[in-house]
Protein backbone atom coordinates (compact mmCIF):
# COMPACT_ATOMS: atom_id res chain seq x y z
CA UNK A 1 0.00 0.00 0.00
CA UNK A 2 1.52 3.31 -1.11
CA UNK A 3 0.84 6.35 1.04
CA UNK A 4 0.81 10.14 0.52
CA UNK A 5 1.95 12.31 3.42
CA UNK A 6 1.39 16.03 2.81
CA UNK A 7 4.03 18.16 4.54
CA UNK A 8 2.39 21.08 6.34
CA UNK A 9 5.61 23.07 5.92
CA UNK A 10 4.06 24.45 2.73
CA UNK A 11 0.60 25.03 4.24
CA UNK A 12 -0.82 28.40 5.27
CA UNK A 13 0.17 28.53 8.95
CA UNK A 14 -2.46 31.15 9.73
CA UNK A 15 -5.11 28.54 8.85
CA UNK A 16 -3.34 25.34 9.85
CA UNK A 17 -6.39 23.47 11.17
CA UNK A 18 -8.35 24.17 7.99
CA UNK A 19 -5.38 23.15 5.84
CA UNK A 20 -5.01 19.82 7.64
CA UNK A 21 -8.75 19.11 7.44
CA UNK A 22 -8.63 19.96 3.73
CA UNK A 23 -5.81 17.51 2.90
CA UNK A 24 -7.47 14.83 5.01
CA UNK A 25 -10.65 15.30 3.00
CA UNK A 26 -8.54 15.34 -0.19
CA UNK A 27 -7.23 11.80 0.43
CA UNK A 28 -4.03 12.26 2.45
CA UNK A 29 -2.86 9.15 4.33
CA UNK A 30 -0.53 10.73 6.92
CA UNK A 31 0.17 14.30 8.03
CA UNK A 32 3.93 15.01 7.81
CA UNK A 33 5.17 17.56 10.36
CA UNK A 34 8.63 19.08 9.89
CA UNK A 35 10.26 20.10 13.16
CA UNK A 36 13.33 22.35 12.72
CA UNK A 37 15.46 23.88 15.45
CA UNK A 38 17.70 26.42 13.69
CA UNK A 39 20.76 24.32 14.60
CA UNK A 40 20.56 21.01 12.77
CA UNK A 41 18.97 22.88 9.85
CA UNK A 42 19.05 26.60 9.06
CA UNK A 43 15.33 27.13 9.74
CA UNK A 44 12.96 27.08 12.72
CA UNK A 45 9.42 25.74 12.57
CA UNK A 46 7.27 24.31 15.34
CA UNK A 47 7.16 22.19 18.49
CA UNK A 48 4.92 19.82 20.48
CA UNK A 49 2.24 22.48 21.13
CA UNK A 50 1.43 22.62 17.44
CA UNK A 51 1.38 18.81 17.17
CA UNK A 52 -1.08 18.76 20.09
CA UNK A 53 -3.28 21.30 18.33
CA UNK A 54 -3.20 19.26 15.11
CA UNK A 55 -4.03 16.06 17.01
CA UNK A 56 -7.38 17.61 17.84
CA UNK A 57 -8.29 18.31 14.22
CA UNK A 58 -7.28 15.12 12.39
CA UNK A 59 -7.64 11.39 12.85
CA UNK A 60 -4.81 10.67 10.38
CA UNK A 61 -1.47 9.39 11.67
CA UNK A 62 0.84 12.29 12.52
CA UNK A 63 4.34 11.73 11.15
CA UNK A 64 6.85 13.91 13.03
CA UNK A 65 10.17 14.43 11.22
CA UNK A 66 12.67 15.77 13.76
CA UNK A 67 15.37 17.89 12.12
CA UNK A 68 16.82 18.85 15.48
CA UNK A 69 19.89 18.30 17.60
CA UNK A 70 19.51 16.19 20.75
CA UNK A 71 16.16 14.67 19.72
CA UNK A 72 16.12 12.44 22.84
CA UNK A 73 15.20 15.46 24.95
CA UNK A 74 12.01 16.09 22.96
CA UNK A 75 10.75 12.64 21.94
CA UNK A 76 8.43 12.14 24.96
CA UNK A 77 6.85 15.56 24.47
CA UNK A 78 6.10 14.93 20.80
CA UNK A 79 4.63 11.48 21.51
CA UNK A 80 2.50 12.84 24.36
CA UNK A 81 1.32 15.58 22.02
CA UNK A 82 -0.02 12.91 19.67
CA UNK A 83 2.72 11.90 17.23
CA UNK A 84 2.12 8.40 15.84
CA UNK A 85 5.43 8.17 13.99
CA UNK A 86 8.65 9.90 14.99
CA UNK A 87 11.78 9.95 12.86
CA UNK A 88 15.24 11.19 13.80
CA UNK A 89 18.18 12.15 11.61
CA UNK A 90 21.05 9.67 11.80
CA UNK A 91 23.47 12.64 11.64
CA UNK A 92 22.01 14.08 14.88
CA UNK A 93 22.16 10.89 16.96
CA UNK A 94 25.27 9.67 18.76
CA UNK A 95 23.39 6.76 20.38
CA UNK A 96 21.00 6.01 17.55
CA UNK A 97 19.96 2.54 18.75
CA UNK A 98 18.96 3.94 22.15
CA UNK A 99 17.11 6.88 20.60
CA UNK A 100 15.07 4.60 18.33
CA UNK A 101 14.14 2.34 21.24
CA UNK A 102 13.09 5.40 23.22
CA UNK A 103 10.66 6.36 20.48
CA UNK A 104 9.03 2.92 20.60
CA UNK A 105 8.98 2.85 24.42
CA UNK A 106 7.32 6.26 24.38
CA UNK A 107 4.55 4.75 22.23
CA UNK A 108 5.31 5.84 18.66
CA UNK A 109 6.63 4.06 15.58
CA UNK A 110 10.34 4.83 15.07
CA UNK A 111 11.97 5.91 11.83
CA UNK A 112 15.49 6.92 10.90
CA UNK A 113 16.28 9.67 8.37
CA UNK A 114 19.26 9.94 6.02
CA UNK A 115 20.46 13.22 4.53
CA UNK A 116 21.30 13.10 0.82
CA UNK A 117 25.07 12.76 1.50
CA UNK A 118 24.69 10.10 4.21
CA UNK A 119 25.38 6.51 3.19
CA UNK A 120 23.23 3.45 3.85
CA UNK A 121 26.03 1.86 5.91
CA UNK A 122 25.16 4.29 8.76
CA UNK A 123 21.87 2.48 9.37
CA UNK A 124 22.98 -1.11 8.78
CA UNK A 125 22.84 -1.99 12.48
CA UNK A 126 19.54 -0.25 13.27
CA UNK A 127 17.43 -1.58 10.39
CA UNK A 128 15.90 -4.14 12.75
CA UNK A 129 14.93 -1.39 15.22
CA UNK A 130 12.88 0.82 12.89
CA UNK A 131 9.49 0.67 11.23
CA UNK A 132 10.61 2.92 8.39
CA UNK A 133 13.60 4.65 6.82
CA UNK A 134 13.12 8.19 5.52
CA UNK A 135 15.37 8.99 2.57
CA UNK A 136 15.85 12.76 2.18
CA UNK A 137 15.83 13.61 -1.51
CA UNK A 138 16.69 17.28 -0.78
CA UNK A 139 18.91 18.84 1.87
CA UNK A 140 16.54 19.40 4.79
CA UNK A 141 15.47 22.87 5.88
CA UNK A 142 13.11 24.17 3.25
CA UNK A 143 10.21 23.16 1.05
CA UNK A 144 10.11 23.63 -2.71
CA UNK A 145 13.59 22.30 -3.59
CA UNK A 146 14.51 20.04 -6.50
CA UNK A 147 14.63 16.25 -6.13
CA UNK A 148 18.26 15.03 -6.01
CA UNK A 149 18.40 12.35 -8.71
CA UNK A 150 20.83 9.94 -7.06
CA UNK A 151 18.22 9.42 -4.32
CA UNK A 152 16.65 6.92 -6.73
CA UNK A 153 19.72 4.66 -6.59
CA UNK A 154 19.85 5.03 -2.79
CA UNK A 155 16.21 3.94 -2.52
CA UNK A 156 16.84 0.98 -4.85
CA UNK A 157 19.80 -0.23 -2.77
CA UNK A 158 17.94 0.28 0.49
CA UNK A 159 14.95 -1.63 -0.84
CA UNK A 160 17.23 -4.50 -1.83
CA UNK A 161 18.86 -4.62 1.61
CA UNK A 162 15.51 -4.64 3.39
CA UNK A 163 14.18 -7.39 1.13
CA UNK A 164 17.36 -9.47 1.41
CA UNK A 165 17.22 -9.23 5.20
CA UNK A 166 13.53 -10.21 5.19
CA UNK A 167 12.61 -7.15 7.24
CA UNK A 168 9.28 -5.36 7.40
CA UNK A 169 10.64 -1.82 7.05
CA UNK A 170 8.94 0.79 4.89
CA UNK A 171 10.76 3.38 2.81
CA UNK A 172 9.58 7.00 3.00
CA UNK A 173 10.95 9.68 0.69
CA UNK A 174 10.91 13.42 1.34
CA UNK A 175 11.80 16.37 -0.88
CA UNK A 176 10.90 17.42 -4.41
CA UNK A 177 8.20 14.76 -4.86
CA UNK A 178 5.58 15.70 -7.45
CA UNK A 179 3.22 14.17 -9.96
CA UNK A 180 6.00 14.00 -12.59
CA UNK A 181 8.48 11.90 -10.58
CA UNK A 182 6.39 9.97 -8.03
CA UNK A 183 5.96 6.86 -10.24
CA UNK A 184 9.70 6.52 -10.79
CA UNK A 185 10.43 6.96 -7.07
CA UNK A 186 7.80 4.35 -6.33
CA UNK A 187 9.34 1.89 -8.80
CA UNK A 188 12.69 2.37 -7.02
CA UNK A 189 11.03 0.94 -3.91
CA UNK A 190 9.52 3.78 -1.88
CA UNK A 191 6.24 3.23 0.00
CA UNK A 192 5.45 6.61 1.57
CA UNK A 193 5.69 9.90 -0.31
CA UNK A 194 6.02 13.23 1.48
CA UNK A 195 4.91 16.17 -0.63
CA UNK A 196 4.71 19.79 0.49
CA UNK A 197 4.73 22.34 -2.29
CA UNK A 198 3.31 19.90 -4.87
CA UNK A 199 0.11 19.73 -2.82
CA UNK A 200 -0.21 23.02 -0.97
CA UNK A 201 0.74 25.19 -3.93
CA UNK A 202 -1.98 23.55 -5.99
CA UNK A 203 -5.38 25.31 -5.73
CA UNK A 204 -7.16 21.94 -5.59
CA UNK A 205 -5.57 19.60 -3.01
CA UNK A 206 -7.91 16.77 -3.98
CA UNK A 207 -6.81 16.99 -7.61
CA UNK A 208 -3.11 17.11 -6.62
CA UNK A 209 -3.35 14.03 -4.40
CA UNK A 210 -5.53 12.14 -6.89
CA UNK A 211 -3.03 12.83 -9.68
CA UNK A 212 -0.19 11.43 -7.56
CA UNK A 213 -2.19 8.36 -6.57
CA UNK A 214 -3.04 7.76 -10.21
CA UNK A 215 0.67 7.84 -11.11
CA UNK A 216 1.34 5.36 -8.29
CA UNK A 217 -0.95 2.88 -10.00
CA UNK A 218 1.25 3.01 -13.13
CA UNK A 219 3.68 0.17 -13.44
C1 LIG B 1 12.41 19.58 4.05
C2 LIG B 1 11.23 18.87 4.68
C3 LIG B 1 10.22 18.40 3.71
C4 LIG B 1 9.58 19.48 2.87
C5 LIG B 1 9.24 18.89 1.54
O1 LIG B 1 13.37 19.82 5.01
O2 LIG B 1 11.68 17.76 5.42
O3 LIG B 1 9.22 17.63 4.37
O4 LIG B 1 8.44 20.03 3.44
O5 LIG B 1 8.78 19.90 0.73
P1 LIG B 1 8.63 19.73 -0.85
O6 LIG B 1 7.68 18.61 -1.08
O7 LIG B 1 8.12 21.06 -1.29
O8 LIG B 1 10.01 19.43 -1.38
ZN1 LIG C 1 10.12 16.26 6.21
Amino acid sequence: MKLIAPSILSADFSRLAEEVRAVEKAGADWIHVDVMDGHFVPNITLGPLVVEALRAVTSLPIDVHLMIENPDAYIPAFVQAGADLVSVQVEACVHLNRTLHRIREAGARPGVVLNPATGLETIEWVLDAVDFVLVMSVNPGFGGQHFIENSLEKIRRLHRRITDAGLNVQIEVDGGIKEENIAEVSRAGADIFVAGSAIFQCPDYGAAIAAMKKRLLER
Side-chain angles (χ1 to χ4, degrees):
M1 172 77 165
K2 307 265 175 174
L3 306 177
I4 304 282
S7 161
I8 60 162
L9 189 59
S10 294
D12 177 350
F13 272 61
S14 70
R15 303 167 35 253
L16 209 44
E18 263 173 70
E19 293 274 74
V20 167
R21 284 196 196 99
V23 286
E24 178 165 1
K25 196 157 166 266
D29 298 294
W30 290 1
I31 299 297
H32 184 83
V33 177
D34 288 306
V35 178
M36 306 186 185
D37 65 351
H39 293 274
F40 181 75
V41 286
N43 198 0
I44 301 177
T45 55
L46 52 86
L49 284 175
V50 176
V51 172
E52 193 180 346
L54 293 178
R55 183 68 289 165
V57 304
T58 182
S59 57
L60 292 180
I62 296 180
D63 173 29
V64 172
H65 174 193
L66 296 179
M67 285 159 277
I68 62 176
E69 287 178 3
N70 191 19
D72 289 65
Y74 302 94
I75 286 164
F78 279 104
V79 178
Q80 275 160 31
D84 299 281
L85 307 107
V86 175
S87 56
V88 291
Q89 296 271 161
V90 58
E91 305 84 4
C93 297
V94 179
H95 304 290
L96 182 58
N97 176 285
R98 182 195 287 153
T99 303
L100 294 167
H101 281 102
R102 280 192 175 149
I103 294 171
R104 205 182 291 283
E105 281 158 17
R109 294 173 57 192
V112 65
V113 194
L114 297 170
N115 273 342
T118 303
L120 293 178
E121 70 284 355
T122 58
I123 57 165
E124 183 179 354
W125 299 101
V126 294
L127 266 188
D128 59 350
V130 296
D131 283 10
F132 64 103
V133 177
L134 172 46
V135 174
M136 286 308 298
S137 41
V138 298
N139 289 293
F142 305 94
Q145 304 181 77
H146 286 293
F147 183 88
I148 296 172
E149 284 298 322
N150 65 16
S151 311
L152 284 170
E153 181 57 20
K154 191 190 264 185
I155 293 164
R156 272 184 218 113
R157 290 188 197 181
L158 174 60
H159 185 257
R160 214 175 297 137
R161 285 185 195 195
I162 291 168
T163 312
D164 288 350
L167 293 167
N168 184 20
V169 172
Q170 290 185 298
I171 300 177
E172 183 173 23
V173 60
D174 184 3
I177 296 293
K178 49 191 178 186
E179 187 191 340
E180 291 72 21
N181 61 13
I182 195 167
E184 195 179 11
V185 180
S186 172
R187 282 194 295 270
D191 307 291
I192 304 139
F193 304 85
V194 177
S197 49
I199 292 171
F200 286 102
Q201 277 174 17
C202 183
D204 182 344
Y205 302 162
I209 293 174
M212 288 187 192
K213 290 201 166 179
K214 187 162 172 256
R215 293 293 183 112
L216 288 174
L217 295 173
E218 289 172 6
R219 299 235 73 207

